[in-house]
Amino acid sequence: MPDVTDTPVIVITGAAGDLGSALVSSQLAAGAVVVALDRAEDALKEAADTWSAEYSPDRIRTFVVDQTSRAQVDEAVEAVRDEFGRIDGLVANAGYAKFGGFLDMPAKVWDRHVEVNLSGTFHVCQAVAQVMAAARTGGWITVISSNLALGHTDYVSAYNVTKAALLSLVRSASAELGVHRIRVNAVLPGAIATAMTRQMLDEPGVTEGLLQLTPLGRLGKPDDVTSAVEYLASPDARWVTGAALVVDGGQSIYGQPAWMRQDRSAPHEPRWLPNYQTR
């Protein structure tokens, strides 16, 4: 085990995706020991090989965890506590999204959004906060929400609702955990160019239409989000808790990204249309 007396120990969920991997790399570059959690075993192993090629493998731990299982979350967090004695920071990044209209959404799709985005995030935050509080060394938690938490966009209501609920979770956690000197904040990204969004962004006219409604005139990059997380983890944010930091190039000013829109011209006959291709 590496000597981590002066080395932060950081847990990151959803670590195998594009954004999660960038978050891991960012913390490794800052010198932390990073514990990477993801439910996709093969993707996590591939990501770990990439991180280990650039950074010391001694500072990398991986656990295959589905955060909807409290037992799996507790097992991983207890293993980290047993090895390192503490956890200094958490980036709760794992999430789930699926398009669907309100009337037609299967209950299992709604439930999956709640289980992953809300309940799963709670499980991870609570388990890590319990370790932090017991260690009496303080810490920080950053929850990755979405700028879609700030309002409604058509055809993604379950995602909007659960990401909005995370803002209340952050406020409640920050209120109760401050006495333990644990800071809790949220980052709300806009449309980030990743493998998850690439299929939508590659549709004709979509990127062009979205950029017309993005004041800073470009799509987000994973590094835009990692910079926000780095700030909230730093001493510069020592008096920041319960905050929601929007990182979207101004897209939320226009209620963007809005991938789909409802055509309401015929009463009782709604149609779903791509939002940007008609602009």
Side-chain angles (χ1 to χ4, degrees):
M1 182 182 79
D3 181 2
V4 297
T5 304
D6 299 315
T7 304
V9 178
I10 311 299
V11 175
I12 299 176
T13 68
D18 286 356
L19 179 55
S21 184
L23 289 163
V24 171
S25 294
S26 170
Q27 293 298 319
L28 287 170
V33 168
V34 177
V35 181
L37 276 54
D38 202 288
R39 69 184 184 90
E41 183 173 4
D42 291 344
L44 184 59
K45 183 180 184 305
E46 182 178 349
D49 289 342
T50 300
W51 303 323
S52 296
E54 187 169 357
Y55 305 101
S56 170
D58 287 345
R59 293 196 289 115
I60 303 167
R61 299 291 185 276
T62 61
F63 292 89
V64 178
V65 172
D66 183 338
Q67 69 180 26
T68 66
S69 167
R70 183 57 187 254
Q72 291 184 28
V73 170
D74 285 343
E75 183 179 2
V77 171
E78 288 168 7
V80 177
R81 180 202 60 197
D82 291 346
E83 180 174 3
F84 299 110
R86 69 182 200 281
I87 298 173
D88 299 292
L90 165 67
V91 186
N93 171 64
Y96 173 78
K98 187 176 180 65
F99 285 121
F102 185 87
L103 289 180
D104 302 324
M105 185 185 305
K108 65 180 182 180
V109 172
W110 171 267
D111 290 344
R112 184 65 178 165
H113 279 87
V114 174
E115 290 165 0
V116 176
N117 294 347
L118 182 54
S119 297
T121 301
F122 165 77
H123 292 324
V124 173
C125 288
Q126 186 191 54
V128 168
Q130 288 170 342
V131 173
M132 290 177 173
R136 294 175 173 256
T137 54
W140 57 267
I141 295 172
T142 298
V143 173
I144 306 299
S145 178
S146 167
N147 71 345
L148 296 184
L150 301 175
H152 169 77
T153 48
D154 286 345
Y155 218 56
V156 285
S157 59
Y159 183 78
N160 292 358
V161 168
T162 50
K163 287 296 188 176
L166 290 180
L167 304 187
S168 288
L169 176 65
V170 163
R171 286 191 292 269
S172 294
S174 63
E176 294 194 25
L177 298 178
V179 68
H180 298 287
R181 301 303 182 257
I182 300 169
R183 299 183 297 104
V184 187
N185 295 288
V187 171
L188 284 62
I192 306 296
T194 64
M196 186 173 71
T197 59
R198 180 53 54 198
Q199 183 175 356
M200 294 178 289
L201 293 170
D202 284 346
E203 289 292 324
V206 169
T207 296
E208 293 81 357
L210 180 55
L211 292 182
Q212 288 299 313
L213 296 169
T214 303
L216 290 185
R218 67 169 175 86
L219 297 175
K221 300 178 291 186
D223 287 354
D224 295 316
V225 180
T226 64
S227 294
V229 171
E230 288 167 8
Y231 161 69
L232 291 172
S234 74
D236 290 339
R238 58 190 173 273
W239 213 50
V240 178
T241 195
L245 178 55
V246 181
V247 182
D248 71 351
Q251 290 171 350
S252 53
I253 296 170
Y254 294 100
Q256 302 300 314
W259 306 106
M260 303 289 288
R261 65 182 176 88
Q262 189 183 71
D263 179 357
R264 305 176 178 92
S265 57
H268 309 294
E269 297 180 8
R271 291 191 305 147
W272 295 107
L273 303 173
N275 191 42
Y276 302 112
Q277 294 180 25
T278 59
R279 291 185 181 276

